[in-house]
Amino acid sequence: MTEWTQPDQAERFVRTYADPILRVCAAWSLSRADAQDICQDIFLTLLVEQRSFDSPGHERAFVLRCAINACKDILKSSRFRRTAPLEEAERVAAPVPGEEHPVWQAVEGLPPQERVLVYLFYVEGYSLEEAARLCGCTYAAARQRLSRARKRLRTELEVYDHG
């Protein structure tokens, strides 16, 4: 196994996980500042705890699960419910490939739970079972949410196509 120094490990975490964490936060419609805070907190946790993982996939799943949990915590917080973002129109930093494309615009309009599943399933390439586990829901719930998301996207894109 490779022996990493802490600066090497920190750089690897940023290079490997900054974009996916920011995208998960975008899927939950968090502000750029909240997304960056979550990213930093997860990196600090990884560096301080120095966890060992069975595989890179296990590490990635852990990081994304941490991001999802942190997003949910922020959305449940009283601070979030009582404040309005300063930059209301601005979303999170990490660009989604083909961001200007109508499909990605339609995905951004989905409810957060559906948007996260679409991101994990189609962009990150997780199986539906893995995506459900990362989202903390049952396989059946994930299947239903993804089905609803597809239906909404189909309807939205038909309007765009004919419009």
Side-chain angles (χ1 to χ4, degrees):
M1 185 167 154
T2 307
E3 192 63 34
W4 295 93
T5 65
Q6 202 159 18
D8 290 341
Q9 194 69 312
E11 184 178 333
R12 183 180 74 81
F13 289 149
V14 170
R15 218 177 32 255
T16 306
Y17 298 118
D19 233 20
I21 292 170
L22 293 174
R23 288 181 184 170
V24 165
C25 294
W28 285 93
S29 299
L30 295 182
S31 71
R32 177 185 301 236
D34 286 335
Q36 290 171 336
D37 287 346
I38 287 172
C39 206
Q40 184 176 8
D41 289 345
I42 292 171
F43 293 155
L44 286 173
T45 298
L46 289 169
L47 288 170
V48 170
E49 293 182 10
Q50 296 182 355
R51 293 175 178 256
S52 61
F53 297 95
D54 298 335
S55 67
H58 181 237
E59 181 181 78
R60 184 176 192 83
F62 174 81
V63 168
L64 292 175
R65 183 72 237 169
C66 286
I68 290 167
N69 288 342
C71 291
K72 288 179 178 180
D73 289 345
I74 284 178
L75 292 173
K76 286 189 297 189
S77 74
S78 62
R79 175 195 64 87
F80 185 82
R81 288 191 306 266
R82 289 183 304 190
T83 60
L86 290 175
E87 304 157 346
E88 199 166 315
E90 183 179 56
R91 297 289 169 132
V92 148
V96 176
E99 187 169 18
E100 300 301 319
H101 196 276
V103 172
W104 289 113
Q105 291 173 349
V107 169
E108 286 178 359
L110 293 172
Q113 291 181 329
E114 292 175 16
R115 194 176 326 132
V116 168
L117 272 171
V118 167
Y119 171 74
L120 291 172
F121 186 76
Y122 289 107
V123 177
E124 287 294 325
Y126 282 98
S127 70
L128 190 54
E129 186 176 310
E130 293 167 324
R133 196 170 43 253
L134 288 170
C135 288
C137 65
T138 65
Y139 176 81
R143 189 178 64 225
Q144 180 64 34
R145 289 175 189 168
L146 193 57
S147 175
R148 270 184 290 202
R150 288 175 180 143
K151 185 176 181 177
R152 289 177 207 247
L153 290 171
R154 193 175 306 115
T155 302
E156 178 72 24
L157 294 172
E158 282 176 2
V159 168
Y160 174 81
D161 192 37
H162 294 98

